[in-house]
Amino acid sequence: MVQGKLTGLRSVELGVADLSASTRFYTEIWGLTPVVRTEKSVFLRGSAAYHHIVALHRRSKAELLSVTFNARSRGDVDALHAVVQRAEAAAIEAPGLVNEPSGGYGFAFQDPEGRILRVVAGDERYADAAPVSDRPHQLAHVVLNSEDVPKSRDFFVDVLGFRLTDQTQSMNFITCNDHHHNIALARGSGPTLNHVAFEMRDLESLMRGAGRLRDHGYAIEWGVGRHGPGDNVFAYFIAPEDYVVEYTAEVLRIDASYRTGKPEDWRWPPGRVDHWGISDPPSERMKVTQQKIRFAETLMPVGG
Ligand SMILES: [Fe+2]
């Protein structure tokens, strides 16, 4: 185990067929800021210090190219590479300099269910980080569907050093820092993307952001409500090309004293789907959509 070597969830790399339509959505409507544009890719930042939190890459179809985590140091990248190599990684590249505008040192690999994950240290940071009203600050979490939740959870915990924070009937919540979760594994038909959540400054920012989405014709597919595990407020939308995205706020921060929850800790009255009891269930459209996006079949090396 390598507890403590990962410091957080940095970015998601999304393959999209229509780069300009997705760029328009994530900038003008979702609220991210483009920092680098090339013919085939757009890198988008939030108000936190990360160089980017979303990278859009032109592909023949929508597919999740990778989920990228930060490690503390180059030495920790090398240590993580060694433990991943000893585990059942389906594919893995050697650590090296990252061939992306954010720079740094890292490697990409495929976990036992075929997800493409990347670990990077020493990537660029901005000095002007400050939460902005109604704009995403940083990624909060990525929820990944899994055919075998215990097996995937064990890989994240035993190999990558995550900590299990809560379990419900269908989900396992895990973290590599003081956020209640950066990853959740949901029981599903395969290693697909359930959704990507973006942390807003506060509840008011979430509500104003959700209003902006509605102004642009995007319905709230689930919410507004408050989750049980993580205690975060949520509003879910369907972005272009069937990526399910969430604005979230007030995500619980934890320390070593947090007691891992069990499914029986999260029992609500029949029909209730959020902690407050005010939200309707997720839309049927969202339930179908959040099983659609598959990981790319081949590794996207950080070395390009
Ligand atoms: Fe979420």
Side-chain angles (χ1 to χ4, degrees):
M1 184 154 78
V2 285
Q3 196 122 36
K5 289 190 166 46
L6 288 178
T7 55
L9 170 67
R10 188 199 70 181
S11 59
V12 285
E13 288 68 40
L14 311 181
V16 293
D18 187 339
L19 183 60
S20 49
S22 279
T23 301
R24 207 173 316 119
F25 173 81
Y26 287 102
T27 55
E28 293 168 22
I29 302 173
W30 196 243
L32 301 177
T33 304
V35 288
V36 177
R37 289 176 195 255
T38 67
E39 198 195 321
K40 292 181 179 164
S41 306
V42 178
F43 295 83
L44 303 156
R45 71 169 290 191
S47 53
Y50 298 110
H51 177 274
H52 64 272
I53 59 173
V54 172
L56 302 173
H57 297 285
R58 182 177 284 138
R59 290 294 187 271
S60 57
K61 60 175 193 248
E63 57 185 5
L64 183 52
L65 302 173
S66 58
V67 177
T68 301
F69 301 95
N70 277 129
R72 206 173 300 280
S73 65
R74 284 181 170 223
D76 283 356
V77 169
D78 291 337
L80 280 158
H81 181 263
V83 291
V84 172
Q85 204 164 32
R86 281 199 299 273
E88 311 174 45
I92 185 165
E93 68 169 331
L97 293 177
V98 176
N99 185 26
E100 285 180 354
S102 44
Y105 177 82
F107 70 99
F109 65 98
Q110 275 181 306
D111 81 1
E113 276 200 87
R115 303 181 187 91
I116 302 170
L117 309 176
R118 311 192 308 167
V119 174
V120 173
D123 50 330
E124 202 175 303
R125 294 284 188 278
Y126 300 108
D128 62 351
V132 177
S133 172
D134 80 17
R135 303 282 145 176
H137 187 60
Q138 60 190 349
L139 293 186
H141 56 263
V142 176
V143 175
L144 300 165
N145 299 314
S146 172
E147 247 172 12
D148 188 340
V149 169
K151 183 182 169 193
S152 279
R153 178 203 61 217
D154 287 349
F155 180 84
F156 276 88
V157 170
D158 297 340
V159 178
L160 300 178
F162 279 74
R163 179 188 163 195
L164 178 67
T165 49
D166 265 298
Q167 289 178 299
T168 64
Q169 292 296 347
S170 58
M171 292 176 77
N172 276 203
F173 297 82
I174 56 176
T175 186
C176 63
N177 57 23
D178 66 342
H179 295 219
H180 174 272
H181 56 285
N182 344 93
I183 294 288
L185 298 161
R187 208 163 52 207
S189 56
T192 48
L193 175 67
N194 188 293
H195 67 272
V196 180
F198 295 74
E199 190 169 45
M200 304 295 269
R201 182 175 73 176
D202 48 29
L203 180 54
E204 177 72 11
S205 295
L206 180 149
M207 297 300 266
R208 287 181 179 273
R212 182 176 62 239
L213 268 286
R214 291 194 52 165
D215 287 345
H216 285 89
Y218 289 83
I220 299 177
E221 303 289 341
W222 188 25
V224 174
R226 187 183 288 278
H227 284 309
D231 202 34
N232 45 318
V233 182
F234 61 86
Y236 289 77
F237 302 89
I238 299 176
E241 305 196 23
D242 286 340
Y243 284 96
V244 176
V245 289
E246 174 189 1
Y247 279 148
T248 193
E250 300 188 354
V251 183
L252 182 68
R253 296 322 198 244
I254 61 158
D255 60 23
S257 68
Y258 188 78
R259 189 184 64 85
T260 301
K262 295 262 184 293
E264 52 270 28
D265 294 321
W266 303 110
R267 287 228 175 96
W268 287 328
R272 178 173 284 209
V273 292
D274 85 297
H275 202 62
W276 289 323
I278 62 165
S279 175
D280 286 328
S283 71
E284 289 304 316
R285 183 175 169 232
M286 186 180 111
K287 283 196 257 181
V288 172
T289 306
Q290 64 190 174
Q291 303 271 346
K292 275 188 180 174
I293 300 286
R294 307 194 70 81
F295 274 85
E297 281 173 17
T298 54
L299 205 60
M300 183 169 81
V302 298

